[in-house]
Amino acid sequence: MSAAPIKQRAYSGSPYLAQAARVAAAGGVVGYPTEAVWGLGCDPRNATAVQRVIELKRRLPEKGMIVISHNWQALMPALQGIDTEALKAAAATVSRPTTWLVPNNGYYSDWVTGGRDTLAVRVTSHPVASLLCALAGRPLVSTSANPAALPPARNRCKLLCYFAGQLDAIAPGQIGRAARPSEIRDFASGAVLRAG
């Protein structure tokens, strides 16, 4: 058995994680650990929440954001029209956290896609991020927890330094061992657009 499920069990009964999931599902903005950095997340179908994340980061809306999930099934509405079996097979060949650019079918708004014709998606293996999505019952926005031009938060202390009093909940846990944010690959071409 891999280490991830064992670690995930350690968090499965956490009231703080359950609270963060409830908050995210209800339209709040939460901080949570990911594979390499702390992230900000919300329901990607909630325009008000997504706009809050953009404002917290002081980020240009046209940059778009990643959508993460605990499994491919939860992402299916956004993947209609593409060969999901081929996407799953491609994802199974990579050994590092990888975000895939897939054709945008309009399921998520321009606030999430940045108005592009592609959508960035990742099935996360981080135990807390994965459980957060599962408990929230939906995929979540995932963008690094930092105001624009400042380094991403790599610990809870830095997260609070950036966003104290501005988040609706913070999930427990620590970031993973990845030294860099997720690799980004174009699903259609296989091209690596950002090295991991």
Side-chain angles (χ1 to χ4, degrees):
M1 181 178 288
S2 69
I6 295 170
K7 289 181 181 177
Q8 197 171 57
R9 279 199 299 271
Y11 291 104
S12 63
S14 167
Y16 301 106
L17 184 57
Q19 178 193 18
R22 285 192 300 271
V23 165
V29 174
V30 302
Y32 61 95
T34 71
E35 294 90 340
V37 298
W38 276 78
L40 298 181
C42 67
D43 179 351
R45 298 273 285 173
N46 186 312
T48 301
V50 173
Q51 188 170 4
R52 270 190 66 205
V53 170
I54 291 169
E55 290 170 355
L56 282 169
K57 283 181 63 78
R58 300 179 212 134
R59 181 184 177 99
L60 295 173
E62 55 267 27
K63 285 198 161 188
M65 289 180 278
I66 295 168
V67 175
I68 63 165
S69 180
H70 61 296
N71 62 28
W72 290 109
Q73 187 61 37
L75 287 166
M76 283 305 171
L79 302 179
Q80 295 299 315
I82 73 167
D83 185 345
T84 53
E85 292 308 312
L87 177 58
K88 291 178 192 176
T93 66
V94 296
S95 59
R96 60 174 56 93
T98 302
T99 296
W100 297 89
L101 292 185
V102 299
N104 175 19
N105 68 6
Y107 185 72
Y108 293 118
S109 74
D110 286 353
W111 286 108
V112 175
T113 66
R116 293 180 175 83
D117 58 4
T118 55
L119 170 70
V121 296
R122 181 171 83 251
V123 172
T124 179
S125 62
H126 187 280
V128 173
S130 180
L131 260 177
L132 183 65
C133 292
L135 292 172
R138 69 202 67 210
L140 296 173
V141 159
S142 184
T143 184
S144 60
N146 57 290
L150 293 177
R154 293 185 61 85
N155 55 56
R156 185 185 177 98
C157 182
K158 195 65 173 178
L159 175 77
L160 292 172
C161 176
Y162 286 151
F163 302 112
Q166 299 178 79
L167 303 179
D168 301 310
I170 299 175
Q174 298 178 351
I175 63 172
R177 295 180 180 174
R180 296 167 53 99
S182 66
E183 183 170 275
I184 297 179
R185 291 192 183 201
D186 183 79
F187 171 58
S189 67
V192 176
L193 305 178
R194 180 180 77 186

